[in-house]
C-alpha cells in the first residue's frame, strides 16, 4: 500500500486525523456496550486453560498498546510477561516450546506478514494464541485461535489514533476478564475522553512552544510509559521532530546529560504509584532548568513550566493511559499544522507496514 497523498487544494490538511481523533469517545462507548461481552467470553476461555506466562507481539503503535498490556498482566495478574522478538522466528527459524503459553498479538490491520507468520509458528509450538485487531477478517485473526475485535471502524489517517485507544480499552477488558473482573471501572472513560478532546484550544496554545523544536524528550514511569512512547511516535511520524521516549528511571542512567535549559521535556505523570516514582526525575529536570511540560493532575502541572491538567480523580491508575494520550495526539496534530505540514500524509509511510 502506498502512502496517502497530501490534501488536495481547498481541503484542510489533517482533516482525516482530526475526524478520527474526534470519534474516540464513540469508539470507547461501542467497545463497552457491544464488545465487552465477547471480550469477557474469550478471556474466560483463556483463563480456564491456565497459561503459565504471556508473550506479547506487535509493532509500531500496537507495540505501545502491547507494552501497556504487559504492565496490566504483570501488576494485575502477577503473570510473567515478555515482548517477543519476531525475527527469532521469522528470520532465524527458532521454534521454542510454547506449550501453555499465552501469545497475544496486537495489530490494527492484522495484515503484516511477520505478525501472521510468528503467530502461526506460536500456535504450532503449542501456544494459546489471541489476536487483538481492528479487522476480524484479517489473516492474523484467521491464524489465531481467538480474536478480540477492537471495533474502531475504518481508520484512514496514517497516524493511528482511535485504534490505539480502542486497543488499550480492549486489552484492559481482556485482562480484567482473565482475573474475573467485569471492567466496570472503565464506564467513565467515554465521557471523560469527550471532555478532553473539547479542550483543543488549550493544546493549540501549548503547541506553539514546539513549532521550532529540534528535538524533544518524553518521559514517564509505570502505566504512563507506554503513553510516552506512543506520544513520541506520533510526534515523529507527523511533525518529523526527533522525539525520544524514556522511562524516568532510564532517563537518569545517562540520557539526562543531553537535557538543558532549552530542551523541551514532556512528562506524563499518572496519579498513582507510577507518578510517585517519577517525582525524583521531575526534581532533577527542574534542577537542570529544563522546559518541562507536564500532562497529569493539577498539582503536578502547577509545578511545571506549562502543562495540561487531566481529569483523573476517581480514575484507576491502570485506566489513565486511555485519557493521557488524547492531549498528546492533539499536540502532535497541532504542532504538525503549525509547521505547515499535513498530519494525514506523513512522508515515506504506508498504513499497512509489511515487515517480514
Amino acid at each position: 500500500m502506498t502512502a496517502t497523498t497530501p490534501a488536495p487544494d481547498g481541503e484542510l490538511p489533517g482533516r482525516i486525523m482530526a475526524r478520527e481523533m474526534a470519534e474516540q469517545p464513540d469508539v470507547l462507548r461501542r467497545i463497552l456496550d457491544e464488545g465487552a461481552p465477547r471480550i469477557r467470553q474469550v478471556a474466560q476461555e483463556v483463563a480456564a486453560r491456565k497459561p503459565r506466562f504471556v508473550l506479547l507481539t506487535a509493532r509500531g503503535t500496537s507495540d505501545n498498546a502491547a507494552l501497556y498490556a504487559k504492565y496490566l498482566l504483570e501488576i494485575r495478574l502477577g503473570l510473567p510477561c515478555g515482548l517477543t522478538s519476531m525475527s527469532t522466528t521469522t528470520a532465524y527459524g527458532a521454534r521454542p516450546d510454547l506449550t501453555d503459553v499465552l501469545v497475544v498479538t496486537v495489530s490494527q490491520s492484522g495484515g503484516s506478514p511477520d505478525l501472521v507468520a510468528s503467530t502461526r509458528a506460536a500456535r504450532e509450538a503449542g501456544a494459546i494464541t489471541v489476536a487483538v485487531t481492528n479487522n476480524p477478517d484479517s489473516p492474523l485473526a484467521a491464524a489465531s485461535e481467538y480474536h478480540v475485535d477492537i471495533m474502531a471502524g475504518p481508520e484512514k489517517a496514517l497516524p493511528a489514533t482511535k485504534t490505539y485507544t480502542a486497543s488499550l480499552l480492549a486489552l484492559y477488558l481482556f485482562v480484567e476478564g482473565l482475573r474475573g473482573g467485569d471492567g466496570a471501572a472503565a464506564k467513565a472513560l467515554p465521557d471523560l475522553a469527550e471532555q478532553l478532546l473539547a479542550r483543543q484550544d488549550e493544546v493549540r496554545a501549548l503547541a506553539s512552544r514546539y513549532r521550532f523544536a529540534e528535538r524533544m524528550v518524553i518521559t514517564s514511569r509505570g502505566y504512563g510509559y507506554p503513553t510516552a512512547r506512543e506520544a513520541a511516535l506520533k510526534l515523529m511520524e507527523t511533525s518529523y521532530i526527533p522525539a525520544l521516549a524514556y522511562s524516568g528511571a532510564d532517563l537518569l542512567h545517562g540520557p539526562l546529560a543531553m537535557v538543558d535549559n532549552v530542551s523541551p521535556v514532556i512528562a506524563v505523570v499518572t496519579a498513582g504509584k507510577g507518578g510517585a516514582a517519577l517525582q525524583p526525575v521531575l526534581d532533577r529536570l527542574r534542577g537542570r532548568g529544563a522546559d518541562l511540560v507536564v500532562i497529569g493532575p493539577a498539582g503536578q502541572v502547577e509545578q511545571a513550566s506549562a502543562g495540561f491538567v487531566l481529569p483523573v480523580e476517581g480514575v484507576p491508575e491502570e485506566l489513565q493511559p486511555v485519557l493521557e494520550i488524547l492531549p498528546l495526539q492533539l499536540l502532535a496534530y497541532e504542532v504538525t499544522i503549525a509547521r505547515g505540514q499535513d498530519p494525514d500524509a506523513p512522508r515515506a509511510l504506508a498504513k499497512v507496514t509489511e515487515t517480514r
Side-chain angles (χ1 to χ4, degrees):
M1 181 180 292
T2 58
T4 306
T5 56
D9 292 342
E11 293 185 355
L12 294 175
R15 68 200 186 285
I16 303 173
M17 183 179 177
R19 183 178 66 242
E20 291 175 351
M21 286 190 294
E23 290 175 11
Q24 289 176 103
D26 287 340
V27 172
L28 298 176
R29 288 190 186 98
R30 184 159 60 243
I31 295 169
L32 290 169
D33 294 342
E34 302 173 25
R38 173 57 184 159
I39 295 173
R40 191 176 304 117
Q41 179 185 346
V42 170
Q44 289 171 346
E45 292 182 21
V46 171
R49 296 170 65 173
K50 301 186 184 314
R52 54 193 174 98
F53 63 87
V54 185
L55 292 174
L56 293 149
T57 305
R59 292 208 188 276
T61 284
S62 294
D63 197 36
N64 298 326
L67 180 59
Y68 166 73
K70 184 177 188 292
Y71 279 92
L72 284 174
L73 288 157
E74 292 184 340
I75 296 170
R76 305 283 285 172
L77 267 69
L79 274 175
C81 196
L83 300 174
T84 60
S85 301
M86 279 174 279
S87 62
T88 61
T89 298
T90 60
Y92 291 92
R95 292 294 183 267
D97 180 3
L98 298 180
T99 304
D100 298 328
V101 174
L102 172 59
V103 173
V104 180
T105 305
V106 187
S107 171
Q108 301 151 41
S109 68
S112 187
D114 57 350
L115 293 169
V116 176
S118 64
T119 298
R120 285 194 184 120
R123 192 169 179 181
E124 291 168 1
I128 307 161
T129 52
V130 178
V132 180
T133 82
N134 197 37
N135 183 1
D137 298 320
S138 63
L140 178 60
S144 301
E145 188 174 356
Y146 299 100
H147 179 251
V148 170
D149 187 355
I150 67 171
M151 305 181 72
E155 187 174 59
K156 296 182 180 179
L158 282 174
T161 53
K162 64 179 182 174
T163 53
Y164 180 69
T165 50
S167 295
L168 296 187
L169 180 54
L171 287 163
Y172 169 80
L173 293 172
F174 176 67
V175 174
E176 282 300 288
L178 289 175
R179 63 194 296 267
D182 60 5
K187 292 293 185 184
L189 291 179
D191 289 345
L192 290 172
E194 208 158 57
Q195 294 170 27
L196 284 170
L197 291 169
R199 294 164 58 192
Q200 188 161 357
D201 287 348
E202 291 180 50
V203 178
R204 189 173 296 122
L206 196 60
S208 63
R209 305 172 72 90
Y210 305 119
R211 182 175 180 181
F212 301 107
E214 295 184 2
R215 71 162 185 253
M216 295 173 64
V217 172
I218 307 175
T219 188
S220 189
R221 288 204 69 178
Y223 285 111
Y225 178 44
T227 306
R229 289 183 28 154
E230 175 61 12
L233 177 59
K234 284 290 151 292
L235 283 160
M236 287 189 287
E237 69 183 353
T238 57
S239 69
Y240 317 141
I241 298 174
L244 308 173
Y246 292 102
S247 157
D250 287 333
L251 186 63
L252 297 184
H253 284 267
L256 183 67
M258 71 178 173
V259 177
D260 53 29
N261 59 5
V262 296
S263 302
V265 179
I266 296 176
V268 180
V269 184
T270 56
K273 293 180 180 179
L278 190 64
Q279 292 310 307
V281 183
L282 300 180
D283 292 341
R284 293 284 298 276
L285 289 168
R286 282 189 286 262
R288 293 188 64 80
D291 177 13
L292 178 62
V293 168
V294 166
I295 309 297
Q300 297 292 336
V301 172
E302 291 164 2
Q303 301 177 50
S305 306
F308 186 97
V309 175
L310 291 174
V312 293
E313 185 176 353
V315 179
E317 182 178 3
E318 62 269 17
L319 280 170
Q320 291 175 35
V322 181
L323 303 176
E324 290 166 349
I325 192 59
L326 299 177
L328 292 163
Q329 290 174 346
L330 291 172
L331 182 66
Y333 172 88
E334 292 293 347
V335 168
T336 305
I337 295 294
R339 289 163 72 97
Q341 295 151 199
D342 185 357
D344 284 343
R347 64 193 180 204
L349 296 183
K351 189 61 181 172
V352 179
T353 304
E354 296 192 353
T355 47
R356 296 183 183 274

